[in-house]
Amino acid sequence: MNWTQGIQNAINYIEDNITEELDYKKIAEQAACSSYYFQKIFSVLCDMPLGEYIRSRRLALAGSELLATDAKVIDIAVKYGYSSSESFSRAFALFHGVTPSEARQGISTLRSFSRLMVQVSLKGGKNMNYRIIEKQAFKVIEKAEVHKLTENDCISATIPQFWARANSDGTIDKLVSLAKDCEFVFGICYGNGKADYDEDTFEYSIAVACGDDITVPEGYRTREIPARTWLAVECKGSCPDSVQEQWKEMCANFFPVSGYSPTYEMDIEAYPAGDPASPDYSFEIWVPIVKD
């Protein structure tokens, strides 16, 4: 599916069902990707979490309906997903700056929040150095954890904590000692949405390439990364901020016009030796892609 059309399909689905209970997995299906990847890409592209967009659209529509009709506040509250007039009034006041009763009295103007439309906007002045590469399947040994997206995160804040623990408890040293070669230490984000995971959880591993005859220590596992065509993007800057910035560049300015779309299986941060906290640190992000 075309990248831009997939994202727009998902937004259209949200708008068509804005007064219904919205399932993030069903939203993501409209873009042919997992719930995790859709939330990640939506947040990067739109500078807000998916949940915030849905909540803002509902409160904006509720404000318009409050002014245009004589419907009871509780009826409008229930229509837009609130179980009581009290919870609706609190959310309404935080969003609009006035309570529903004050809004009806015309005490203040209300805040608008328009629906999103995906548009391609070509911008100059910023380079993105990348390669399109074909890689054969390769094997990694990794330590993996399940992480969770929170209401305000587009990439889980617990991932930097995972890296810090792995550095302090010997995990990375152990992986390096088991590596077939140690050109990179990988951060691998698996986004294919396992059925036994919640819609806002995903697996992230710290890994190195390994051979077939490796003895796997307890607490680690091996996994084959399949042969794929990869977008390999050069990144420079301290982590994790530079990861976020590069994802935004890919989502906003590369995928809409490149003729490629991500497969949404995984993405790999490839870290060479060095200090990831340094503003001069260089690494790559690998994203498996297919032609539109």
Side-chain angles (χ1 to χ4, degrees), residues 77 139 145 210 269:
K139 191 174 184 179
E145 289 186 351
C210 68
E269 300 146 16

Side-chain angles (χ1 to χ4, degrees), residues 224-246:
E224 184 173 270
I225 305 301
R228 290 290 184 269
T229 301
W230 298 82
L231 169 69
V233 180
E234 295 180 16
C235 303
K236 187 173 183 178
S238 60
C239 300
D241 291 345
S242 53
V243 176
Q244 298 287 80
E245 291 168 5
Q246 200 59 69

Side-chain angles (χ1 to χ4, degrees), residues 201-230:
T201 58
F202 60 98
E203 273 193 323
Y204 184 94
S205 77
I206 298 173
V208 294
C210 68
D212 293 328
D213 57 350
I214 192 169
T215 299
V216 182
E218 185 177 354
Y220 297 78
R221 72 184 187 192
T222 57
R223 188 156 182 170
E224 184 173 270
I225 305 301
R228 290 290 184 269
T229 301
W230 298 82

Side-chain angles (χ1 to χ4, degrees), residues 122-150:
L122 299 178
K123 299 178 181 179
K126 186 171 182 180
N127 294 326
M128 189 182 92
N129 297 325
Y130 69 92
R131 298 169 291 139
I132 305 295
I133 57 177
E134 301 290 337
K135 288 184 71 68
Q136 297 300 311
F138 63 98
K139 191 174 184 179
V140 299
I141 182 167
E142 62 186 4
K143 191 164 197 176
E145 289 186 351
V146 175
H147 291 262
K148 184 180 180 69
L149 287 170
T150 65

Side-chain angles (χ1 to χ4, degrees), residues 25 76 80 180 193 229:
K25 289 182 180 178
I76 294 175
Y80 289 101
K180 181 179 180 181
T229 301

